[in-house]
Amino acid sequence: MSARLLKEILWAMFFAGLIALVFRFTWGLGAVTGLSDSVPWGIWKVLNMVAGVALSTGGFVLAAAVHVFQIKRLRPLLRPALLLAALGYASSCTALFIDIGLSWRIWHPLVMWNVHSFLFEVAWCVMLYLSITLLEVTPITLEESGHSKIKRILHAIAPTVVIIGITLSTLHHTSLGSLFLVSPSRLHPLWYTPGLPIHFILSAIGAGISAVILLVLLVGRLYRKKVPQEALRLAGKTAAVVLSLYLLTRVVDLWRREAFGLLAAGDLESMLYLVEVVLGIMLPLALFAWPRTRRSLRGLGVAAGFCVGGLVLNRLDVGILGYLSSGGGSYLPTAPELAICFGIPAGAGLIFFALVERFRFYSEGGPSAPLGPAPSTERPVRFQFRPAAARLSRIFVITLAVAIGMFTANSGEARSRSGGVRPPAVLDAAAGILRIDGDRDGDGVDFPHDLHGEFIDCRSCHHLNAVDDEPATCSACHSRLHDHAPLFQHDRHLQTVGEWRGFTGPRAGNQTCSLCHDSGKPRAKVDPGVCARCHREPGWEDTSGKEETRGYTHALHDLCIRCHGERQEGTIRRTMGNCSVCHQ
Amino acid sequence: MKAILYDVTKCEGCMKCVEACAAEAGAPAQDPHCDLQRDELSASRRSTTTRSSSGRWVRRHCHHCMDPSCVSACLVGALTRDDRGRVTYDESRCIGCRYCMLACPFGFPKYEWDRVTPLMRKCEMCHDRPGGPACVQACDQGAALYGERDEMLAVARRRIGASPDLYLPHIWGEREMGGTGVLFISDTDLAEFWPKQLGEHAIPEITMPFLTKAPWLAVAVAGGLSGFSWIIRRRNKLRGEGHEE
């Protein structure tokens, strides 16, 4: 893949995110996302924020390695790592801005304090650390310009800045884990553990190093630069050490809590946990630890990829999936939600490439540079505005069309939950109990049909005189779950059409039948074209399709609640109109 | 310290409390008997009355914990426990992070998902209403009482003592999760409504030790790294000098 193609894909993703952003701020969180009261935190918080921050740890890890521990061999990775950290944290803050309900109040934590809140600690540390990463990155962009005074100041404070940055990182990575300690009764016991802070920081360090490895490999490939192999190998080795520590804490944690039994449950949670540990920790650990894979760039890339994937899955498990079983809710991110989720890192990616092309973020250059040709030749051809603008506007228009189509389709569906209704299933033929569950989502009502027949007239519910005298199901006319459905009123036609034709006498109705139903066919079906015989003629108002029924849910609720409500004084208690009586 | 005491044996599920609550909150008109949302509480329905598995009607709304998880979670301090023990919400502070919704073990805080500028909503025990909570006033079955928590506990004990055959000898909310401002006495077990993992522990009891360790962690990391940095630099310097010699 060429750098240009990749950038065009990123532009498309970024535009899609921008369009989704307009949707989000026009219609609000509820209309645009799949979030609900039972799943209040979605992918923006858990993937963009919690996982995004974790994947940006490379910055502080390499700053510590190079500046504090003076491991010179890792130096070639420092600059990409710092840039990744700055952009990663900026992306996370952007996501947070979009995610919170009242975005313009994002400054509130600055002046309104609650020091007892983990989220407060996270907010402050992330904010401060973002400033730190900018301080660390700025000198690199100033390298080739004047500003010698600023450079001197920044250089002088660098060691202090690095140590403050590492401290802040340690704090907020542990706190991000502690965030979920508030849900002992709601988070699945496989993940709820006092070890969460330790798991979070260890996994973040491992995956942060892996993200830097992936990034350096990607840039090296896209721009055909020499890859700092020795540094990458050392980073892989470090990742292996961190991952083995992480694996150890995970296993010891299960052992101490005697929670191994939960893994044998065979449910979704245990599967996710196993995938996370086997593919996300053990596999990359083995690959990083094995010298042969570490020697090949592809091997390093695969190992780092699995490690990053494992971290993302872990954060999803802790932040969203682990909550589903206790809350009883479900969550499926909508198209606009996904567009913003991927649009933000896409935007950050574009800034990354722009900076890498303009400044020496990839290698330090100069005579002692361990890789690549001289910096002057590293620069690409000058950016040409007009062709680029034409290309980008084309991408934008295509994205706009696709995005609007997808977003409106998706959000409409998510909210109105319209759809075909299926008739009740017989639950118990002997007792005459029907299972009413129009959308078959498992949340239905067991209706004692025959019992009702003992007290009330069939016609109370089966109010349609259907052809062949069959007791029509409710869904025959109330054919959509929540929306109105078009209706054909057979009896009304029998009357009005007969009157119009001037049929009189005892068998007037019989004469009317044959106007629509062709005689001689066994069940006298009607060709839809028949309606047009009258409804298209001048003088006839075209009302076909305009008669409507209420949605299935409303129709059925009305039926039960009205009856049970009206018969309050009789044998049936008014409280039978309560949800929990039928929805058990 | 105010509290509401519910006598579950006296509730017939007439829903007048729910209607009064909706009216007090200025929520849109609704049929209190029917809410299509599966989870019966919502931003416009801050309290409800649901069936327990044994068929009793049980009130569901913010329990006004003595040591509330939501108050400790809210990063801007929009949720506070006032001097009379009621957990109140300052909507002018709220940024909409929805951490309270994650923090509440009951899931009582609900969000106005249908609004473009949404706020969190939950029962605030009618803290600014003269005459106490609207739901308690609406109850004509004597199933709800409002007053000082100590008095409510005394009433509960009196009732249990007066008819030990009827009531189970337990006041739900007295000690659960460190005690709550909503108390229940009942003739059937109500344990299903309480998070069993917590027992008598409040959530902040679990989280605070982690929080108080943070400053020490910061000091340790910063101090340790500064020390390391100094040692390594010095060693490198000495080694460099050695080479030069």
Side-chain angles (χ1 to χ4, degrees):
Chain A
M1 192 191 285
S2 74
R4 189 173 135 175
L5 178 62
L6 179 65
K7 271 194 268 181
E8 284 179 357
I9 295 172
L10 289 179
W11 273 112
M13 285 163 67
F14 176 66
F15 284 145
L18 272 188
I19 297 158
L21 199 63
V22 175
F23 275 67
R24 181 253 173 270
F25 282 107
T26 316
W27 286 295
L29 281 177
V32 170
T33 67
L35 297 172
S36 64
D37 279 331
S38 40
V39 187
W41 279 21
I43 50 172
W44 293 344
K45 242 190 212 112
V46 172
L47 287 188
N48 293 80
M49 215 281 266
V50 180
V53 161
L55 292 177
S56 315
T57 37
F60 99 83
V61 175
L62 281 152
V66 174
H67 288 300
V68 179
F69 298 103
Q70 304 278 329
I71 307 172
K72 296 273 187 263
R73 282 187 299 161
L74 283 175
R75 206 173 174 92
L77 301 183
L78 179 61
R79 290 182 166 204
L82 286 180
L83 186 55
L84 174 67
L87 290 171
Y89 275 80
S91 308
S92 300
C93 292
T94 313
L96 209 58
F97 174 79
I98 297 169
D99 176 87
I100 61 173
L102 306 169
S103 300
W104 53 93
R105 292 187 181 172
I106 196 158
W107 54 272
H108 275 196
L110 285 176
V111 289
M112 301 173 190
W113 287 24
N114 175 16
V115 292
H116 296 272
S117 167
F118 285 117
L119 201 57
F120 177 78
E121 193 191 325
V122 170
W124 266 87
C125 288
V126 166
M127 200 163 51
L128 291 175
Y129 186 65
L130 175 64
S131 326
I132 296 274
T133 57
L134 295 179
L135 277 182
E136 287 172 329
V137 162
T138 320
I140 304 176
T141 60
L142 293 177
E143 257 166 12
E144 284 172 49
S145 61
H147 305 104
S148 55
K149 198 170 177 188
I150 301 178
K151 275 189 278 185
R152 258 208 313 282
I153 296 172
L154 288 174
H155 191 76
I157 59 170
T160 323
V161 165
V162 166
I163 287 180
I164 295 175
I166 297 166
T167 311
L168 289 170
S169 295
T170 322
L171 282 185
H172 73 249
H173 284 296
T174 48
S175 283
L176 278 168
S178 313
L179 274 186
F180 301 96
L181 288 175
V182 293
S183 315
S185 57
R186 296 174 67 189
L187 183 56
H188 193 276
L190 269 175
W191 290 284
Y192 185 87
T193 152
L196 268 177
I198 295 166
H199 294 167
F200 263 53
I201 189 160
L202 285 178
S203 59
I205 293 175
I209 298 174
S210 298
V212 174
I213 295 176
L214 278 181
L215 195 70
V216 169
L217 287 175
L218 177 74
V219 174
R221 176 164 232 187
L222 287 177
Y223 295 100
R224 296 204 174 73
K225 290 196 188 189
K226 197 161 157 265
V227 171
Q229 297 207 16
E230 198 206 348
L232 287 179
R233 256 177 239 132
L234 186 57
K237 214 173 186 172
T238 319
V241 174
V242 177
L243 280 177
S244 55
L245 267 178
Y246 177 41
L247 182 64
L248 188 71
T249 57
R250 289 289 289 260
V251 174
V252 168
D253 167 62
L254 280 188
W255 172 70
R256 276 186 57 181
R257 296 188 295 126
E258 293 165 1
F260 278 114
L262 292 168
L263 281 180
D267 51 4
L268 177 70
E269 282 84 5
S270 60
M271 291 295 156
L272 286 168
Y273 195 93
L274 285 174
V275 169
E276 195 189 292
V277 171
V278 174
L279 293 183
I281 308 175
M282 289 180 179
L283 180 63
L285 169 59
L287 290 174
F288 276 136
W290 198 26
R292 262 183 73 180
T293 39
R294 217 165 50 225
R295 267 201 296 279
S296 89
L297 292 180
R298 177 167 296 175
L300 274 175
V302 170
F306 273 103
C307 185
V308 167
L311 178 121
V312 171
L313 179 61
N314 173 255
R315 299 305 192 259
L316 267 181
D317 286 339
V318 175
I320 301 176
L321 300 171
Y323 278 87
L324 293 182
S325 64
S326 66
S330 63
Y331 168 71
L332 196 67
T334 60
E337 218 174 341
L338 288 168
I340 289 181
C341 179
F342 291 109
I344 297 170
L350 288 169
I351 299 175
F352 177 84
F353 287 123
L355 289 175
V356 165
E357 284 166 14
R358 279 161 190 74
F359 303 102
R360 276 179 272 163
F361 274 108
Y362 188 66
S363 59
E364 287 188 41
S368 61
L371 62 115
S376 56
T377 56
E378 275 181 15
R379 297 200 159 202
V381 195
R382 268 189 82 80
F383 182 75
Q384 287 175 310
F385 182 73
R386 280 174 65 185
R391 215 170 58 240
L392 288 185
S393 57
R394 271 201 296 280
I395 296 175
F396 181 74
V397 170
I398 295 169
T399 317
L400 185 72
V402 174
I404 288 186
M406 281 182 69
F407 296 169
T408 45
N410 200 319
S411 55
E413 203 178 284
R415 290 299 141 183
S416 77
R417 291 174 296 162
S418 63
V421 169
R422 280 184 281 177
V426 179
L427 197 70
D428 184 345
I433 293 178
L434 298 178
R435 176 87 186 154
I436 301 178
D437 184 7
D439 54 356
R440 294 281 196 278
D441 68 343
D443 180 39
V445 164
D446 298 339
F447 173 67
H449 178 270
D450 293 8
L451 183 73
H452 278 77
E454 289 174 25
F455 297 103
I456 54 171
D457 198 330
C458 297
R459 285 175 302 174
S460 316
C461 304
H462 298 280
H463 50 244
L464 177 77
N465 296 329
V467 189
D468 293 344
D469 273 343
E470 278 179 22
T473 58
C474 308
S475 57
C477 298
H478 304 278
S479 55
R480 293 191 200 161
L481 197 60
H482 295 283
D483 296 343
H484 294 236
L487 173 73
F488 174 76
Q489 293 192 349
H490 186 266
D491 284 14
R492 191 158 162 255
H493 277 77
L494 201 66
Q495 195 189 342
T496 50
V497 175
E499 281 171 8
W500 170 59
R501 278 300 186 97
F503 296 140
T504 48
R507 276 192 286 276
N510 293 359
Q511 290 171 290
T512 320
C513 299
S514 59
L515 288 175
C516 303
H517 298 276
D518 294 330
S519 54
K521 290 188 179 169
R523 290 190 75 176
K525 292 245 167 83
V526 170
D527 168 19
V530 166
C531 310
R533 283 183 202 164
C534 299
H535 284 287
R536 294 272 169 79
E537 275 180 24
W540 277 92
E541 193 193 349
D542 186 7
T543 54
S544 55
K546 285 185 183 164
E547 304 273 357
E548 287 184 331
T549 62
R550 304 193 71 193
Y552 186 76
T553 317
H554 274 108
L556 265 73
H557 277 96
D558 278 1
L559 213 54
C560 303
I561 292 167
R562 192 173 299 147
C563 242
H564 285 286
E566 281 170 5
R567 290 177 161 224
Q568 189 181 0
E569 273 74 47
T571 51
I572 303 169
R573 285 177 64 201
R574 177 164 150 79
T575 49
M576 290 210 47
N578 278 319
C579 311
S580 52
V581 177
C582 306
H583 296 274
Q584 279 163 350
Chain B
M1 286 281 249
K2 295 288 184 184
I4 297 178
L5 171 66
Y6 288 116
D7 188 338
V8 170
T9 61
K10 296 193 173 176
C11 179
E12 296 209 328
C14 72
M15 298 274 163
K16 280 180 188 150
C17 48
V18 180
E19 275 167 277
C21 175
E24 178 65 25
Q30 53 184 316
D31 182 353
H33 297 274
C34 180
D35 187 340
L36 289 179
Q37 271 187 296
R38 216 172 298 170
D39 186 342
E40 288 188 69
L41 286 172
S42 68
S44 58
R45 189 183 172 94
R46 297 171 202 186
S47 82
T48 189
T49 310
T50 53
R51 277 278 173 113
S52 73
S53 59
S54 54
R56 283 289 177 203
W57 291 104
V58 179
R59 289 282 284 150
R60 304 296 290 155
H61 59 81
C62 173
H63 278 10
H64 299 272
C65 304
M66 312 269 276
D67 192 357
S69 175
C70 58
V71 170
S72 79
C74 182
L75 80 164
V76 287
L79 286 162
T80 42
R81 188 164 175 271
D82 70 7
D83 50 353
R84 307 178 95 175
R86 299 169 297 204
V87 178
T88 57
Y89 172 61
D90 178 357
E91 57 180 57
S92 67
R93 282 178 166 242
C94 181
I95 63 170
C97 73
R98 311 185 293 282
Y99 190 37
C100 51
M101 303 176 69
L102 214 63
C104 177
F106 303 99
F108 282 145
K110 300 291 174 188
Y111 208 55
E112 293 177 324
W113 294 107
D114 47 351
R115 279 182 60 184
V116 182
T117 55
L119 292 165
M120 186 279 285
R121 293 294 178 207
K122 72 167 197 72
C123 158
E124 295 179 62
M125 223 193 249
C126 292
H127 65 102
D128 45 4
R129 183 180 186 272
C135 58
V136 175
Q137 251 181 12
C139 183
D140 48 20
Q141 302 290 324
L145 278 175
Y146 173 71
E148 290 298 318
R149 192 167 185 270
D150 297 340
E151 284 172 31
M152 293 297 109
L153 284 171
V155 171
R157 288 205 189 88
R158 240 186 348 261
R159 285 198 189 171
I160 294 172
S163 30
D165 298 339
L166 176 63
Y167 296 103
L168 292 175
H170 188 80
I171 305 170
W172 281 272
E174 184 185 11
R175 273 194 281 273
E176 273 83 1
M177 294 178 53
T180 63
V182 177
L183 307 164
F184 295 89
I185 49 173
S186 169
D187 55 346
T188 58
D189 192 20
L190 300 182
E192 63 191 280
F193 292 104
W194 298 82
K196 60 178 183 298
Q197 295 91 332
L198 285 162
E200 298 188 356
H201 297 287
I203 289 178
E205 261 178 64
I206 301 168
T207 55
M208 273 310 278
F210 288 88
L211 205 63
T212 47
K213 282 196 190 100
W216 299 113
L217 180 67
V219 170
V221 171
L225 286 178
S226 307
F228 249 117
S229 178
W230 183 78
I231 293 169
I232 291 173
R233 267 163 210 273
R234 189 172 155 75
R235 198 184 63 184
N236 283 359
K237 200 175 156 196
L238 289 177
R239 199 181 281 162
E241 280 167 5
H243 276 296
E244 274 161 33
E245 282 164 15

